[in-house]
Amino acid sequence: MDPLKSTPIDVSGIPIGGAHPFALITGPCQLESLDHARMMAERIAEACAPTGTRWIFKASYDKANRSSISTQRGLGLEEGLSILAKIGAEFGCPTLTDVHLPDHCAPAAEACDVLQIPAFLSRQTDLLLAAGETGAAINIKKGQFLAPWDMPNVAAKIASTGNTRILLCDRGTSFGYNTLVTDFRGLPIMEATGYPVVFDATHSVQQPGGQGTSSGGQREFAPVLARAACAVGVSALFIETHQDPDNAPSDGPNMIPIDRMADLIAELRAFDALRKGLDRP
């Protein structure tokens, strides 16, 4: 995989792709409150500062694909987008959120810099077209049920709107029940499209529905997979984080504690620099 082959895109001044150092997409899985988002953004900024890592704040206003009707979905569209807009303005960072419905795309793009297509919805044509038409950068999660060579068809739906600010994201592939596996051949296969590739380290260690009414996960393996992805070569890493993952409302079992992020980022930057021939970590 040649990291120079992807054509970089710009996300609010952050170049993603080519030989640029990886950008980090990070934050809590689910928005909890403005105060919590501010605290997390402050901690993320501190973790990224020593290496100069450019970061995009990620959090979802709605988790529409929870395992059970009894689990928390989030703050909702209006309050969630208000918080994300404030975080972007206060910290000078791009923001990213999931969208699940076509009519959510336009308001989400007004508040956020990147719209994310959830893996389960990666073939929903109306959603992809609505997202593309906003002109925002679009991060498409590869469905757990899709092969990496299926993703050019997905990207083409967005590109048909004239929007080529596309990121292709691997987050594991279904492997039997409640289990995902990562096939690292998929990263160069997707990068052959010319679009920058993102590796989602934390959702790749998720155990979908593994706890009955919620998903489990093995967060101890997320750094392992992230190191491997950097060695293969990626344009961005997606790593969810939280100050207390075991008590987070969503995806706690696979999130990285925020107090471990600075050391992890420094380690990953060294792998990234070695792969891309950069002269600094």
Side-chain angles (χ1 to χ4, degrees), residues 28 48 60 69 72 88 100 141 163 168 176 183 231 233 239 252 273 277:
C48 290
S60 299
I69 192 67
Q72 298 181 49
H100 297 88
K141 294 282 191 81
N163 184 351
L168 302 181
D183 179 359
I239 301 176

Side-chain angles (χ1 to χ4, degrees), residues 13 100 152 182 211 274:
H100 297 88
T182 296
Q211 294 184 346
L274 179 64

Side-chain angles (χ1 to χ4, degrees), residues 48-114:
C48 290
T51 54
T53 298
R54 307 293 293 275
W55 56 283
I56 298 170
F57 183 81
K58 180 271 165 188
S60 299
Y61 60 83
D62 180 21
K63 301 299 294 184
N65 54 359
R66 296 304 305 273
S67 298
S68 168
I69 192 67
S70 64
T71 48
Q72 298 181 49
R73 286 185 53 168
L75 301 178
L77 181 70
E78 185 174 347
E79 182 178 2
L81 293 183
S82 174
I83 289 172
L84 288 165
K86 289 174 181 175
I87 293 299
E90 292 177 18
F91 290 87
C93 64
T95 57
L96 174 153
T97 194
D98 297 290
V99 288
H100 297 88
L101 297 170
D103 59 2
H104 284 192
C105 292
E110 291 181 6
C112 298
D113 304 275
V114 186

Side-chain angles (χ1 to χ4, degrees), residues 4 29 139:
L4 297 175
C29 179
N139 185 37

Side-chain angles (χ1 to χ4, degrees), residues 12 20 66 78 115 128 136 197 243 261:
S12 296
H20 292 286
R66 296 304 305 273
E78 185 174 347
L115 304 186
L128 293 167
V197 171
Q243 87 284 358
M261 284 291 285

Side-chain angles (χ1 to χ4, degrees), residues 66-255:
R66 296 304 305 273
S67 298
S68 168
I69 192 67
S70 64
T71 48
Q72 298 181 49
R73 286 185 53 168
L75 301 178
L77 181 70
E78 185 174 347
E79 182 178 2
L81 293 183
S82 174
I83 289 172
L84 288 165
K86 289 174 181 175
I87 293 299
E90 292 177 18
F91 290 87
C93 64
T95 57
L96 174 153
T97 194
D98 297 290
V99 288
H100 297 88
L101 297 170
D103 59 2
H104 284 192
C105 292
E110 291 181 6
C112 298
D113 304 275
V114 186
L115 304 186
Q116 181 165 279
I117 306 299
F120 288 131
L121 301 178
S122 56
R123 288 184 58 171
Q124 295 298 105
T125 301
D126 289 344
L127 178 62
L128 293 167
L129 295 178
E133 287 166 357
T134 67
I138 312 296
N139 185 37
I140 314 168
K141 294 282 191 81
K142 182 186 78 65
Q144 302 92 322
F145 46 87
L146 292 179
W149 45 86
D150 293 328
M151 291 303 285
N153 288 331
V154 175
K157 293 181 181 181
I158 290 177
S160 73
T161 69
N163 184 351
T164 57
R165 302 177 67 218
I166 298 170
L167 303 169
L168 302 181
C169 181
D170 191 284
R171 51 83 28 97
T173 301
S174 295
F175 187 72
Y177 298 126
N178 305 123
T179 305
L180 300 172
V181 66
T182 296
D183 179 359
F184 285 103
R185 296 176 301 175
L187 302 180
I189 289 170
M190 290 197 298
E191 198 229 10
T193 62
Y195 296 116
V197 171
V198 183
F199 180 69
D200 180 347
T202 43
H203 285 97
S204 291
V205 299
Q206 185 186 65
Q207 296 169 320
Q211 294 184 346
T213 59
S214 64
S215 293
Q218 295 175 297
R219 73 170 68 99
E220 66 271 22
F221 293 118
V224 177
L225 297 186
R227 290 195 297 268
C230 286
V232 173
V234 289
S235 298
L237 287 171
F238 182 110
I239 301 176
E240 288 185 337
T241 185
H242 196 274
Q243 87 284 358
D244 184 13
D246 290 334
N247 291 297
S250 177
D251 274 349
N254 41 269
M255 282 197 284

